[in-house]
Amino acid sequence: MGFFNEPLSSTFARLRTGVILLTVVAIIRFLAKPAFGLAYDDATHLVSLAWLLLILVTVYAVPTGRRGGNWKDYLANALVLTATTQVLIVVAIAVDEFIGIDTFYTDPDHGGSINPLIHMAAHLVLPTVVLTLVFTLWGWLCGTVVRRVARPA
């Protein structure tokens, strides 16, 4: 048995719908400026990967809690969802910077004025580590509440 209770590939398969939703929202956000001409603030309110990520971690904590999951299960959920989000952002930054499609992922007022390789590396390391830890704790809290409420009297 590895570090997690199940292989990450199984976790990824279990979270497939969430991964698809993250991908769809990332694409819509990518197209918000070049295809739809939305302002940054408008697009941020309409399509937010951060909010979707928080919602997905919360939603997936419910079945994990019902089946008696432990911190390893919440860590796997958070890692798969957070890493997927950050990889999608890195791909969008790369397309923006190296192919030349102007999107919000490299908006100069929101971190896009730094070196693109540093920008991409920062998304792969810092948010993945920090958000995975924070969302693991959040998922554990939500799952614990679900487990306590769902426990028969």
Side-chain angles (χ1 to χ4, degrees):
M1 171 97 8
F3 180 76
F4 299 107
N5 289 332
E6 65 184 6
L8 277 179
S9 59
S10 297
T11 304
F12 197 91
R14 192 170 36 79
L15 305 178
R16 182 179 340 197
T17 302
V19 169
I20 291 169
L21 283 171
L22 286 167
T23 304
V24 168
V25 169
I27 291 169
I28 292 170
R29 184 166 175 80
F30 181 85
L31 295 172
K33 185 175 182 181
F36 307 127
L38 293 174
Y40 183 88
D41 290 337
D42 294 337
T44 300
H45 288 89
L46 293 174
V47 283
S48 172
L49 285 170
W51 280 110
L52 179 58
L53 181 57
L54 177 62
I55 291 166
L56 289 173
V57 168
T58 305
V59 167
Y60 282 114
V62 173
T64 303
R66 282 191 179 144
R67 73 171 198 270
N70 64 18
W71 67 271
K72 289 181 178 184
D73 297 306
Y74 300 113
L75 177 61
N77 288 355
L79 178 63
V80 166
L81 294 171
T82 304
T84 298
T85 301
Q86 297 311 313
V87 166
L88 290 167
I89 291 170
V90 167
V91 168
I93 292 169
V95 169
D96 187 321
E97 288 291 342
F98 304 123
I99 296 179
I101 300 172
D102 187 27
T103 70
F104 293 128
Y105 288 102
T106 58
D107 185 66
D109 295 334
H110 302 92
S113 58
I114 61 175
N115 177 301
L117 295 177
I118 293 172
H119 191 186
M120 289 186 288
H123 271 283
L124 286 177
V125 177
L126 187 63
T128 300
V129 171
V130 173
L131 289 176
T132 296
L133 294 175
V134 169
F135 286 147
T136 298
L137 293 173
W138 174 251
W140 172 79
L141 175 67
C142 294
T144 301
V145 168
V146 166
R147 202 168 38 236
R148 299 272 186 237
V149 170
R151 183 178 295 163

